[in-house]
Amino acid sequence: MSQFTSGFWDVYIGLITIVSIVACAVLLKMQSVRSPAESETSGHVWDEDIREYNNPLPRWWMWLFYLTIVFSLGYLVLYPGLGSYGGTLGWTQLGQLAEENAHAQTAYGPLYDKFAAQDIAALSKNPEALAAGQKLFLNNCSQCHASDGGGSRGFPNLTDLEWLWGDTPEAIKTSITEGRLGVMPPWGAVLGEQGVKDVANYVLSLSGGTYDSIRAARGKEKFAQICVACHGAEAKGNPAIGAPNLTDKVWLHGGSEEQIIQTVSKGRVDQMPAHKDSLSPAKIHLLTAYVYSLSSGPRASQHVK
């Protein structure tokens, strides 16, 4: 990676930028020289008598181009644009973001702070808190979990009663604050093709799916040897490590035989990003209350298994 972080690239970018601007100015000057023969044409003729004359650009148009060149040079002096050169104003995107965040915190912080000391379970029933929490959810969470919290393939449904890492307010707040990393190791090399199919059929039998009873019987032994360490002897899962319950009909990556075979054979890696650096503790507290309400409010009763 050293070749991408050396000082050579700063010089390269700066040189290319300056040369490009100067080349534009030279080209503009060359194209702005008036020809003594005003009747000289480019040779293009349309409709027998419409000729294209080889005249220079109009003066007002030419000076507009010159102004853009002057503006670009002034911009490169004041702002970043030449490799690592920071500009005389010292402006940076991160600095502007920090300034805007500080302004927003001053203006809107009190709106969130008033909820910070309240119990999450109580906030999950507070219409004002839920309205504010919903806006936080739409801005930060809906891209993965959908605007209604229903999730999609590979992204958990937050409106049912199934939680990989626990459904308590504390567990939800930890998920939002610190993020989560769930890893299902690949077992294809260990089990072999037929062994993977056997385990997949046993897993299907746990949740009442359609399965091959002979394969399921063989898969039960392999499950007891390999899978119980994470999913438990009863396959109920383990919230401490994010291992899912295999006895319900909730499937994060699909519950068909083919999809389960792929999961067992190739494994899965799921990551929930941490929001502690992008959201204040007060906002995380309010967002936790909103997410908690999705599985404890009226809508959650529609998803009870």
Side-chain angles (χ1 to χ4, degrees):
M1 288 297 292
S2 60
Q3 67 269 29
F4 295 107
T5 57
S6 68
F8 165 78
W9 294 106
D10 290 335
V11 176
Y12 175 80
I13 293 171
L15 188 61
I16 288 293
T17 303
I18 295 298
V19 169
S20 298
I21 294 175
V22 172
C24 287
V26 172
L27 178 63
L28 181 60
K29 179 63 177 176
M30 292 172 57
Q31 297 300 317
S32 301
V33 176
R34 292 184 177 276
S35 172
E38 293 293 338
S39 61
E40 181 182 354
T41 69
S42 65
H44 298 156
V45 181
W46 293 272
D47 293 337
E48 298 182 355
D49 59 352
I50 299 178
R51 291 174 172 80
E52 179 183 45
Y53 284 90
N54 190 21
N55 292 329
L57 293 172
R59 289 294 179 180
W60 66 270
W61 198 356
M62 179 187 69
W63 284 111
L64 281 178
F65 281 121
Y66 278 127
L67 285 175
T68 60
I69 292 174
V70 173
F71 174 83
S72 64
L73 292 173
Y75 180 93
L76 292 175
V77 171
L78 298 174
Y79 294 96
L82 296 174
S84 60
Y85 173 69
T88 58
L89 296 181
W91 178 91
T92 65
Q93 290 179 323
L94 292 177
Q96 181 176 344
L97 177 61
E99 182 180 346
E100 292 177 355
N101 284 340
H103 175 74
Q105 180 61 28
T106 302
Y108 305 111
L111 299 177
Y112 299 103
D113 291 340
K114 70 177 182 179
F115 298 115
Q118 299 184 36
D119 179 69
I120 290 177
L123 284 178
S124 68
K125 299 178 174 60
N126 184 324
E128 184 183 3
L130 293 180
Q134 183 182 40
K135 291 181 174 61
L136 290 171
F137 184 89
L138 292 174
N139 287 330
N140 297 279
C141 312
S142 61
Q143 296 88 342
C144 295
H145 297 285
S147 59
D148 62 351
S152 60
R153 182 66 55 80
F155 300 99
N157 180 355
L158 303 179
T159 65
D160 59 20
L161 300 179
E162 301 299 327
W163 292 85
L164 290 174
W165 300 91
D167 60 352
T168 64
E170 293 76 16
I172 296 173
K173 177 178 281 191
T174 300
S175 295
I176 297 173
T177 305
E178 302 294 338
R180 301 288 190 181
L181 179 61
V183 179
M184 162 73 180
W187 294 105
V190 175
L191 293 171
E193 181 179 354
Q194 298 305 315
V196 167
K197 290 183 178 180
D198 293 344
V199 171
N201 276 269
Y202 175 67
V203 171
L204 280 170
S205 73
L206 295 173
S207 58
T210 302
Y211 62 95
D212 184 318
S213 59
I214 297 177
R215 284 193 176 277
R218 294 199 300 260
K220 183 177 182 179
E221 297 180 7
K222 297 180 177 65
F223 185 93
Q225 296 170 359
I226 295 175
C227 308
V228 295
C230 293
H231 295 283
E234 297 180 355
K236 296 290 187 180
N238 185 356
I241 58 175
N245 180 355
L246 302 179
T247 64
D248 56 23
K249 295 184 179 181
V250 178
W251 298 94
L252 187 59
H253 293 282
S256 68
E257 180 181 6
E258 180 181 356
Q259 290 164 334
I260 297 175
I261 287 174
Q262 185 177 20
T263 298
V264 175
S265 177
K266 298 183 179 181
R268 302 284 185 181
V269 177
D270 298 308
Q271 184 168 11
M272 159 75 179
H275 287 78
K276 60 183 178 182
D277 294 329
S278 58
L279 295 176
S280 67
K283 289 182 179 180
I284 289 178
H285 187 77
L286 194 56
L287 180 56
T288 299
Y290 178 76
V291 173
Y292 182 71
S293 75
L294 294 177
S295 62
S296 62
R299 280 183 292 178
S301 62
Q302 303 174 11
H303 298 273
V304 175
K305 308 295 186 293

